[in-house]
Amino acid sequence: MSDIKVKIGLECHCQMTSLKTKLFCRCPADYRGKPPNTNVCPTCLGLPGSLPYLNRRAVEEAIKVALALNCKINRRMVFYRKNYFYPDLSKNFQISQYDYPLAVDGQVTINVNGTDKVIRIKRVHIEEDPGRIVYKGSIESSPYTLVDYNRMGIALLEVVTEPDMETPTEAKAFLQELRSILEHLDVSDGSLEGSMRCDANISIEGGSRVEIKNITSFKEVERALSYEIIRQRNLLRRGVQVKRETRHWDEVRRVTVALRAKEEEMDYRYFPEPDLVPIEIADEMIKKIKEQLPELPATRRIRLVKQYGLTEYEARVLTSDKHLADFFEKLVSIHGNPKIDCNLVINELLRLLNEKNIGVRDLKFTPLEVSELLRMVDEGTISWKSAKYVLRKMVETGEHPRKIVEIEGIRRIASIEEIEKYVDMVFEKYREDVEEALREPKVVHKLVGEVLKETKMLADPKITFQIVSKRIEKLRELKK
Amino acid sequence: MGDSREAIITPETLEYLSELARLRLTESEKKIILRDLNRILEYFSIIDEVEVADVEPAFHVLNVSNVMREDEVGGDSLTQGETLANAGHKEEGYIKAPRMV
Amino acid sequence: MTAKQIVKLVLTGSLSPVDVVETYLDRAKKLNPKINAFITIAEEHARRSAEELEKRLKKGFPGKLIGVPIAVKDVISTKGIETTCASKILKGYVPPYDATVIRRLKAEGAIIIGKTNMDEFAMGSSTELSAYGPTRNPWNLERVVGGSSGGSGAAVAARMAPIALGSDTGGSIRCPASFCNIVGLKPTYGTVSRYGLISYACSLEQIGPMTVDVNDCALLMEVITGKDCFDSTMIDYKFKWTPREVKGLRMAVPKEFFGEGTDERVANRVWDIIKLLESHGAIYEEISFPLARYVLACYYIIAMSEASSNLARYDGVRYGPPCDLSLPWYDSYSKIRGEGFGIEVKRRIILGCFALSAGYYGRYYLKALKLRTMIRNHVLSILKSFDVIVTPTTPFPPFKIGERVEDPLALYMADVDTVVANLAGVPAISVPAGFIDGLPVGAQFMANHCCEDLLLTVAKCIQDETNFHTKVSKEVRL
Ligand SMILES: [Mg+2]
Ligand SMILES: [Zn+2]
């Protein structure tokens, strides 16, 4: 992929999930899990005669984000109608922004493989989410569609980048950073299904720009882009021109498909929404919001390095997910050993989370329980190795670590006398190995391993090694 | 922008516009509308006489701005029954719409 | 009977709301086949409301409009009563919510007696362009009532309802008021909530009263004006009026609205009114309104552009006649919309799409908005030196049904005197100004934003001196 130049731009749609109501009506913003078409009113259902009324907090939250993305805030913000027909749009136009958007010209720094890269933000604007279409099977095979308007009118923030990304990995890194920023601002909860979606445009040197729509989660982006790059590269290789078109990401089949040709080059006939008035954003308002901005991932990273002596890398892993970083800091505040705490969180805990595909907030325990676990290691009650095992059990069952240790009979064997008993057994059992160990020091490790196995891994490996080595040494001397 | 007195809407433009507006027209409607639209546009062309270079467009007739509401739940919420009552096709609480392709 | 008189009789116990409703229902049912003023006579709803009001009266919660039947243009959303906009595409649609004005009327004890005929989606000036057939003018059944609130105009003129609500985007209240010999007021933009008013051109339209006399007009204004938390384009204004003399009132008479294209007899009737006011101490001056020749084009470009977007929602999915599920969505939408809209609505949607489309936005839509600024500024500058601007309401008296319907431009000409007020957002009233060969004509007055009280003062003077408003067509005698 390195031989051809790829340009990727993203249009991210993030729901402002911390709002109580929709963008233009007073329906609850929490539409998830409700029976279809039960979270609507005349306005979001687009009934004849209904009118939009702007949610003040949506504007304030959006300004927060724009500031965090280092954008210039426009002093005059205007809503426009974007006119196009689609069954998920109850009015067959979307209230969005066009000229006079909320903010323009921002930037975000991402880091891929240790290298920083600036991604420019073209614009940030506010718009309404469409409803949800349910297909019977795929979009292409469904004999009709089912529409649920519960989501219609949810406040969305659209963040548009310049085509500054060159690989799917960079795109993924950008989205991760954006998500972390939104979570640090407490504007959007990325763990909620469908709360962060995006469209991507991608062009490969020598081809036209292709837009990929319907990427329903940030996770899918890398996959969709990788597929599309291969598809376009294959076309170019065969000498086929890549058409300028809009394609639809089919999540199930993991391919992009071209929809009806007529949908390209849509004339949206944007014009200012006559039912809403312009919003003048005063300097004082921006100043006030700026003063109240919480710590963002970039500054938090620096602080984590300074305050806890973490590496750049460790700080980056932690802050890629606000809740992970929160978890870590809480843990340190109780347990107080940054190196060990960080190691446990970014190596052990994060691996388990990824394996189970869950988020930090899905855990059934808090940093307090984890600090208990680490305290048992500190006390010498259990080994580090056992601690990892107990952590897995905690993730799976939510049980208290001390209880898991008790039930499973886990403890750390550190008494020399006790370990020597096992060593006796092993030396009896593996006489040949012992003989060999006298000549070849490497075999000592094998014996240690056998002893640990006998103790069901409860023995302290260091002490065991010392005992085994001492024995071999003695035998060797005796032989002389 | 060209001479405003010439007929601007051709049968092809009308075809395009009716597609854009999702309006199927019968042949006789096309004939009538094509004739009328061009007459009306010709009449509209008198606005070309006015110089408006320095004039701000009146997106709103009154100078009202910054009208927003608090983020509190309320309003005319509808039950599923009310929502579906006017829909011609429905299934299990959903509103049925035509297929996409 | 006026609404004021009904309220008085109901409060004194001389009449019960049920008596009132039955009387009007009886008239409405008898006359409607002849006039076609109502699309729906809400018989059951009206009776039920009247009964409930009797209970409310006993509890001692009367309202400003207690027991008064009201005819409502079928463009205003009424919970539980079919609301069609006189279009096939909304046939069978029963709104699950009330427009804000309807809520306020109900709170004051008014009773919705029916939904009145109109030009489809309020696009027209004669009420001939209705899926339910034309409304006939009570003064001459061969003539149009004006539009688009023609059903409301006819209902009041024929005394099928004492008062009515209309909506006015470019003259739709004032034109039928003029053609029906009643009072019609388009309030200042932003003073009456549009929540529940089915949009045609949102930046231009307002709901307003259509009544037999000025006092009822004021009464209705008191009820329907005032801020609403469902319409964000409103201004803080609550109608209040204390009648006063017209002495010293300064009137501007723009000559462009009396000259070419205006029926001389109409101009003369309006001049009679001006002279009448002059005799009561008002002063007038003829002025020039050079932008007059652009007002119609400006108005229609803006209205059609907004309409093309406002009417996109009618696709047969959520309401209205169901779409065809055997077709893919784009064909299904085109089909239902092709079948559901009348020819004038189609014309306006297509022209509106054109005026907003890439390459034409600047030349048409944006240009019209700039012209709108100029026209508004001009109107406001005139109103700095004058209290009111006087013109005919329409350039000609009611024309024959069918006479102009085939020719959209000829029909648009009916709005040439009224659209200015919508473009400038100012209030305007049409007052009965006499008759030409037995056909009513109206005089129009415009005033500055929120100066409705001035308009009513002028109208009251005319009403007291002429008594035109007391005249009723013999066609509607039962
Ligand atoms: Mg968008
Ligand atoms: Zn809603």
Side-chain angles (χ1 to χ4, degrees):
Chain A
M1 243 176 246
S2 54
D3 51 330
I4 30 169
K5 252 207 158 351
V6 177
K7 276 185 171 179
I8 298 168
L10 297 170
E11 258 185 55
C12 315
H13 292 103
C14 315
Q15 292 180 337
M16 299 192 227
T17 56
S18 66
L19 298 179
K20 281 191 246 166
T21 64
K22 293 183 178 181
L23 183 54
F24 296 121
C25 66
R26 295 166 178 85
C27 288
D30 179 18
Y31 66 91
R32 290 179 173 81
K34 291 186 179 170
N37 298 306
T38 55
N39 192 55
V40 290
C41 71
T43 295
C44 55
L45 197 60
L47 290 188
S50 61
L51 296 172
Y53 209 116
L54 179 61
N55 184 340
R56 178 195 308 279
R57 212 156 73 79
V59 178
E60 290 165 355
E61 297 289 283
I63 292 174
K64 260 166 62 176
V65 177
L67 288 172
L69 299 178
N70 307 297
C71 290
K72 276 210 295 274
I73 311 273
N74 278 326
R75 292 304 184 269
R76 184 182 175 82
M77 179 179 89
V78 177
F79 284 97
Y80 275 68
R81 287 191 188 174
K82 181 180 184 179
N83 293 287
Y84 66 99
F85 287 85
Y86 215 71
D88 60 6
L89 267 186
S90 58
K91 303 181 291 294
N92 285 319
F93 61 78
Q94 181 192 32
I95 305 179
S96 180
Q97 298 191 304
Y98 186 60
D99 288 339
Y100 315 100
L102 173 77
V104 293
D105 294 341
Q107 61 175 61
V108 168
T109 306
I110 58 165
N111 184 292
V112 174
N113 301 327
T115 316
D116 278 352
K117 179 168 184 178
V118 171
I119 307 297
R120 290 169 301 155
I121 306 288
K122 198 174 185 173
R123 56 188 275 140
V124 175
H125 76 235
I126 307 170
E127 63 181 28
E128 53 180 351
D129 208 349
R132 205 169 56 86
I133 303 183
V134 178
Y135 305 109
K136 300 239 152 177
S138 79
I139 181 170
E140 290 162 292
S141 65
S142 190
Y144 52 85
T145 56
L146 298 175
V147 194
D148 171 13
Y149 292 100
N150 285 350
R151 194 180 71 183
M152 180 75 231
I154 295 291
L156 283 186
L157 202 66
E158 179 170 323
V159 177
V160 184
T161 76
E162 296 287 352
D164 288 347
M165 284 149 284
E166 287 163 296
T167 62
T169 316
E170 286 183 3
K172 187 186 165 195
F174 171 80
L175 293 173
Q176 207 159 41
E177 182 69 9
L178 177 63
R179 174 175 169 172
S180 182
I181 291 171
L182 292 172
E183 292 190 339
H184 275 84
L185 294 169
D186 193 23
V187 168
S188 188
D189 180 348
S191 71
L192 296 172
E193 194 236 317
S195 64
M196 290 182 183
R197 314 187 295 270
C198 75
D199 298 340
N201 55 70
I202 173 164
S203 60
I204 290 188
E205 217 172 5
S208 299
R209 210 180 76 139
V210 171
E211 198 171 349
I212 313 172
K213 288 204 176 279
N214 190 46
I215 307 176
T216 57
S217 81
F218 281 10
K219 280 189 191 153
E220 293 282 314
V221 171
E222 211 179 3
R223 228 177 249 158
L225 285 171
S226 301
Y227 173 86
E228 190 57 24
I229 289 172
I230 292 168
R231 189 190 69 88
Q232 292 188 25
R233 209 171 41 166
N234 286 343
L235 285 177
L236 289 173
R237 200 179 288 148
R238 296 207 313 266
V240 182
Q241 187 68 32
V242 176
K243 271 191 305 185
R244 194 189 160 123
E245 62 178 352
T246 301
R247 300 176 71 83
H248 185 101
W249 172 241
D250 185 334
E251 230 174 55
V252 183
R253 292 192 296 148
R254 294 193 178 166
V255 294
T256 63
V257 286
L259 289 183
R260 213 165 66 104
K262 273 179 181 164
E263 265 176 277
E264 300 157 34
E265 298 301 320
M266 270 286 265
D267 185 348
Y268 291 121
R269 290 160 288 134
Y270 281 100
F271 73 101
E273 168 59 87
D275 288 330
L276 291 166
V277 298
I279 303 299
E280 314 279 353
I281 298 170
D283 289 341
E284 304 90 78
M285 186 178 183
I286 297 173
K287 203 174 145 227
K288 208 174 126 199
I289 294 176
K290 211 173 212 163
E291 281 165 4
Q292 288 167 357
L293 276 188
E295 186 183 43
L296 293 167
T299 36
R300 191 175 199 182
R301 234 163 261 152
I302 297 167
R303 180 174 60 80
L304 290 181
V305 170
K306 244 198 207 151
Q307 187 175 346
Y308 303 111
L310 305 185
T311 65
E312 187 80 37
Y313 169 79
E314 288 168 331
R316 188 167 292 286
V317 174
L318 285 173
T319 54
S320 69
D321 176 349
K322 178 193 184 259
H323 307 290
L324 195 68
D326 288 350
F327 195 96
F328 162 75
E329 292 212 67
K330 188 86 221 267
L331 179 59
V332 177
S333 75
I334 309 168
H335 181 245
N337 191 330
K339 271 285 157 204
I340 287 175
D341 299 339
C342 174
N343 183 11
L344 186 89
V345 170
I346 71 171
N347 291 318
E348 307 313 324
L349 186 62
L350 191 56
R351 184 189 318 127
L352 287 166
L353 292 174
N354 289 340
E355 186 187 310
K356 313 253 181 239
N357 198 18
I358 55 170
V360 181
R361 282 167 306 158
D362 300 323
L363 292 172
K364 289 176 242 119
F365 55 84
T366 68
L368 183 67
E369 279 82 59
V370 178
S371 75
E372 290 279 327
L373 174 66
L374 290 172
R375 201 152 286 151
M376 282 188 276
V377 179
D378 299 340
E379 289 159 358
T381 319
I382 60 169
S383 67
W384 178 251
K385 202 150 191 167
S386 302
K388 291 199 254 181
Y389 172 79
V390 174
L391 187 68
R392 171 179 291 276
K393 286 280 159 196
M394 286 168 72
V395 171
E396 283 165 1
T397 65
E399 274 300 352
H400 193 278
R402 291 207 187 266
K403 191 146 186 210
I404 295 170
V405 166
E406 192 191 310
I407 290 172
E408 306 229 350
I410 299 166
R411 61 200 172 95
R412 171 172 166 270
I413 305 173
S415 119
I416 295 175
E417 280 162 46
E418 203 177 343
I419 294 174
E420 277 186 329
K421 278 184 207 153
Y422 288 102
V423 174
D424 290 343
M425 269 165 60
V426 168
F427 273 48
E428 188 67 28
K429 211 168 161 184
Y430 299 95
R431 280 193 190 155
E432 282 174 23
D433 290 327
V434 173
E435 285 296 320
E436 211 184 328
L438 294 174
R439 294 186 304 273
E440 179 54 69
K442 266 187 196 164
V443 184
V444 171
H445 294 286
K446 193 192 170 208
L447 291 169
V448 172
E450 294 302 333
V451 174
L452 292 177
K453 263 191 225 163
E454 286 294 330
T455 67
K456 291 187 181 123
M457 310 307 268
L458 296 176
D460 187 303
K462 242 188 219 161
I463 300 174
T464 309
F465 179 77
Q466 281 167 0
I467 295 172
V468 172
S469 303
K470 243 181 224 162
R471 276 271 177 99
I472 294 292
E473 197 69 20
K474 249 183 211 163
L475 283 173
R476 206 178 279 143
E477 269 167 29
L478 278 174
K479 275 241 161 161
K480 277 179 195 167
Chain B
M1 270 260 172
D3 186 352
S4 53
R5 267 164 294 278
E6 61 190 64
I8 299 171
I9 298 195
T10 60
E12 293 72 44
T13 317
L14 180 61
E15 199 68 40
Y16 167 75
L17 289 170
S18 64
E19 174 82 12
L20 199 59
R22 296 255 175 272
L23 271 182
R24 183 182 289 177
L25 302 176
T26 63
E27 286 310 312
S28 68
E29 280 176 330
K30 279 182 199 164
K31 224 177 262 163
I32 297 169
I33 289 184
L34 197 61
R35 181 201 68 200
D36 291 343
L37 293 200
N38 282 311
R39 282 187 56 218
I40 295 167
L41 283 177
E42 194 186 316
Y43 175 71
F44 285 174
S45 69
I46 56 168
I47 67 169
D48 295 344
E49 297 171 8
V50 192
E51 179 54 55
V52 293
D54 307 324
V55 184
E56 279 293 311
F59 290 130
H60 292 85
V61 71
L62 305 166
N63 289 321
V64 180
S65 63
N66 285 16
V67 180
M68 291 177 267
R69 63 176 173 84
E70 296 317 312
D71 184 28
E72 297 297 340
V73 173
D76 282 337
S77 61
L78 301 174
T79 63
Q80 194 186 58
E82 286 171 321
T83 302
L84 299 182
N86 282 293
H89 306 291
K90 46 210 150 189
E91 184 175 306
E92 290 166 1
Y94 290 94
I95 293 177
K96 233 163 150 181
R99 65 193 144 95
M100 298 311 296
V101 187
Chain C
M1 239 187 317
T2 66
K4 263 215 154 105
Q5 290 166 329
I6 293 171
V7 171
K8 208 171 186 180
L9 292 171
V10 169
L11 286 179
T12 54
S14 315
L15 269 179
S16 78
V18 172
D19 296 336
V20 180
V21 158
E22 291 303 337
T23 310
Y24 280 98
L25 278 178
D26 185 51
R27 268 192 83 82
K29 277 156 63 184
K30 282 189 178 133
L31 287 171
N32 205 47
K34 196 170 172 183
I35 309 284
N36 198 24
F38 287 100
I39 291 174
T40 306
I41 297 176
E43 210 173 332
E44 204 184 310
H45 168 88
R47 288 210 172 96
R48 207 176 341 109
S49 306
E51 281 158 20
E52 275 160 28
L53 284 175
E54 308 226 316
K55 281 182 221 150
R56 182 162 135 185
L57 262 173
K58 276 181 204 135
K59 284 185 197 151
F61 304 120
K64 282 182 182 159
L65 288 170
I66 188 83
V68 179
I70 183 163
V72 175
K73 187 178 181 181
D74 211 22
V75 71
I76 298 170
S77 189
T78 44
K79 187 173 181 170
I81 304 173
E82 188 181 356
T83 301
T84 69
C85 276
S87 180
K88 274 202 281 186
I89 210 152
L90 271 177
K91 185 147 185 50
Y93 169 62
V94 180
Y97 78 110
D98 271 329
T100 296
V101 290
I102 298 297
R103 271 175 223 193
R104 291 188 177 168
L105 287 171
K106 284 181 175 175
E108 294 294 345
I111 299 163
I112 296 151
I113 188 170
K115 303 298 294 290
T116 59
N117 203 3
M118 53 187 278
D119 290 293
E120 185 179 359
F121 282 102
M123 297 178 184
S125 313
S126 63
T127 315
E128 294 169 278
L129 301 165
S130 160
Y132 299 87
T135 297
R136 296 183 173 273
N137 194 320
W139 291 93
N140 181 332
L141 299 177
E142 302 307 311
R143 304 255 163 183
V144 302
V145 274
S148 62
S149 313
S152 287
V156 173
R159 306 301 191 258
M160 296 151 88
I163 54 173
L165 283 185
S167 73
D168 190 312
T169 313
S172 287
I173 285 176
R174 292 159 285 157
C175 166
S178 148
F179 283 9
C180 290
N181 191 46
I182 63 170
V183 175
L185 172 67
K186 180 205 88 78
T188 305
Y189 186 83
T191 59
V192 179
S193 170
R194 288 182 297 115
Y195 185 67
L197 168 66
I198 300 180
S199 322
Y200 151 35
C202 6
S203 81
L204 296 157
E205 61 210 9
Q206 282 285 289
I207 293 171
M210 299 176 78
T211 59
V212 170
D213 81 346
V214 175
N215 293 323
D216 278 3
C217 178
L219 183 58
L220 207 40
M221 282 294 283
E222 278 175 36
V223 174
I224 63 174
T225 54
K227 265 203 154 178
D228 174 29
C229 62
F230 286 98
D231 179 352
S232 39
T233 60
M234 294 191 74
I235 52 176
D236 213 349
Y237 168 81
K238 184 85 193 161
F239 174 82
K240 240 176 60 203
W241 175 50
T242 325
R244 59 176 183 93
E245 286 181 17
V246 296
K247 196 161 181 290
L249 187 96
R250 299 160 303 167
M251 302 184 287
V253 184
K255 57 178 192 293
E256 288 81 356
F257 295 90
F258 289 79
E260 202 199 337
T262 302
D263 187 313
E264 209 174 291
R265 298 166 301 170
V266 174
N268 290 340
R269 290 289 92 81
V270 179
W271 271 114
D272 289 347
I273 297 289
I274 295 168
K275 296 284 158 101
L276 173 83
L277 290 165
E278 191 187 26
S279 72
H280 283 79
I283 44 177
Y284 78 88
E285 191 180 313
E286 282 190 75
I287 59 151
S288 175
F289 196 102
L291 292 171
R293 77 190 242 105
Y294 309 112
V295 295
L296 269 187
C298 176
Y299 163 77
Y300 273 100
I301 291 169
I302 295 170
M304 288 173 179
S305 300
E306 290 181 9
S308 70
S309 170
N310 287 331
L311 271 63
R313 70 190 67 194
Y314 305 102
D315 56 19
V317 173
R318 292 157 302 278
Y319 35 80
C323 60
D324 186 344
L325 287 185
S326 72
L327 298 170
W329 71 277
Y330 39 87
D331 284 339
S332 178
Y333 280 19
S334 298
K335 184 180 170 202
I336 194 92
R337 290 166 61 77
E339 289 165 356
F341 289 130
I343 186 94
E344 177 62 16
V345 174
K346 288 178 181 166
R347 255 194 299 259
R348 295 196 192 190
I349 290 176
I350 287 182
L351 255 182
C353 275
F354 181 69
L356 287 174
S357 66
Y360 293 97
Y361 178 87
R363 179 174 176 185
Y364 291 107
Y365 182 67
L366 199 63
K367 174 103 188 220
L369 288 185
K370 289 178 176 179
L371 251 175
R372 183 178 188 179
T373 302
M374 292 170 71
I375 292 164
R376 178 194 61 194
N377 292 348
H378 188 51
V379 168
L380 296 183
S381 79
I382 295 171
L383 290 170
K384 266 190 191 129
S385 325
F386 296 91
D387 297 304
V388 293
I389 301 171
V390 195
T391 72
T393 306
T394 52
F396 33 71
F399 45 91
K400 285 209 173 96
I401 291 176
E403 190 182 316
R404 288 170 188 259
V405 76
E406 300 289 335
D407 181 355
L409 276 175
L411 209 49
Y412 297 172
M413 291 305 152
D415 303 333
V416 70
D417 298 328
T418 45
V419 296
V420 175
N422 304 81
L423 289 171
V426 298
I429 196 168
S430 177
V431 191
F435 295 84
I436 296 167
D437 301 335
L439 296 172
V441 289
Q444 175 184 238
F445 295 84
M446 290 175 250
N448 212 326
H449 293 136
C450 301
C451 292
E452 277 82 346
D453 56 332
L454 268 182
L455 297 180
L456 291 195
T457 292
V458 173
K460 181 81 164 65
C461 175
I462 298 165
Q463 173 177 302
D464 290 348
E465 295 305 315
T466 63
N467 273 327
F468 289 140
H469 70 291
T470 57
K471 300 202 164 42
V472 182
S473 164
K474 58 183 187 311
E475 293 281 358
V476 296
R477 277 183 212 145
L478 286 181

